[in-house]
Amino acid sequence: VEAAAPAAAAPVATPADEPLAQVVDDYRIGPSDLLEVSVFQVPELSRTVRVNGRGELTLPLIGQGQAGGLTGQQLEEKIAQKLKATYLQEPQVSGFIKEFISQRVTVNGSVNRPGVFPISGRTTLMQAIAMAGGLAKLANESDIKVIRVGPNGTREVLEYDYAPLRKGETADPPLYASDVIVVGESAGRAALKGVTETM
């Protein structure tokens, strides 16, 4: 009797496998984020509202309150507590972050316009490099690093080769908020540039 083939192991998800827009459990609300707040069976209290520059938002009956620095769940609980104290017995509040405007990534190194760029929703490595004006002439395509700091402070460095990404041979990895992308410089190209400048 032929033995049954062992079942394939399920792939283990890594942070880079998950689109940014889906990784929101620990996301802290920030200025300019767009929130959708709804109260079950009380449609007049439901609103789509943008957080102001001070991290505050304004809602009916509640007025102005601090949202910056809170997770979505913490904001839901805060709104529910305020409504329960004055207006409703057991309010069921749900919140959804429609736009992650306060999220940013940093692109440094051998790109045409290095800097800090706001991102909204799912943003990939190639998109971030494009926002930075693309790779510079001296860029080393095989030396692209994504530096990521996890919620517990752990630091992770992911390395990528740009050529297979550009050709579609490997998946373009999605980014996390606060990721730092560093594009290395080609030593050979830099040396060649130095020689031509001295001639």
Side-chain angles (χ1 to χ4, degrees), residues 29-192:
I29 296 166
S32 298
D33 283 352
L34 186 65
L35 310 179
E36 186 175 287
V37 180
S38 60
V39 182
F40 182 62
Q41 292 187 338
V42 192
E44 58 271 23
L45 296 182
S46 300
R47 287 289 188 280
T48 298
V49 60
R50 193 174 296 280
V51 181
N52 67 21
R54 298 185 300 276
E56 300 168 337
L57 56 77
T58 303
L59 293 171
L61 302 181
I62 297 175
Q64 195 172 67
Q66 188 69 27
L70 301 178
T71 65
Q73 182 177 354
Q74 288 172 339
L75 180 63
E76 291 173 354
E77 293 171 353
K78 182 176 181 179
I79 294 172
Q81 288 172 0
K82 289 192 174 184
L83 290 174
K84 186 176 182 179
T86 50
Y87 300 102
L88 301 173
Q89 288 187 342
E90 294 295 335
Q92 297 181 39
V93 179
S94 62
F96 174 69
I97 305 171
K98 298 186 69 174
E99 293 180 10
F100 298 78
I101 300 300
S102 67
Q103 295 190 103
R104 292 173 171 81
V105 294
T106 302
V107 186
N108 285 325
S110 197
V111 291
N112 290 311
R113 293 194 305 271
V116 180
F117 301 91
I119 57 176
S120 175
R122 189 182 190 278
T123 300
T124 66
L125 176 58
M126 288 185 65
Q127 289 171 336
I129 291 174
M131 288 189 289
L135 300 181
K137 290 182 179 180
L138 299 181
N140 182 355
E141 290 193 356
S142 61
D143 182 18
I144 298 177
K145 295 181 174 65
V146 176
I147 301 170
R148 178 171 299 153
V149 178
N152 56 357
T154 57
R155 185 173 179 269
E156 183 180 15
V157 179
L158 309 171
E159 298 185 355
Y160 296 97
D161 189 335
Y162 193 74
L165 295 176
R166 187 179 63 243
K167 295 175 184 177
E169 296 173 355
T170 58
D172 187 12
L175 299 175
Y176 271 31
S178 301
D179 276 356
V180 177
I181 298 98
V182 181
V183 179
E185 183 176 273
S186 172
R189 292 181 184 178
L192 179 62

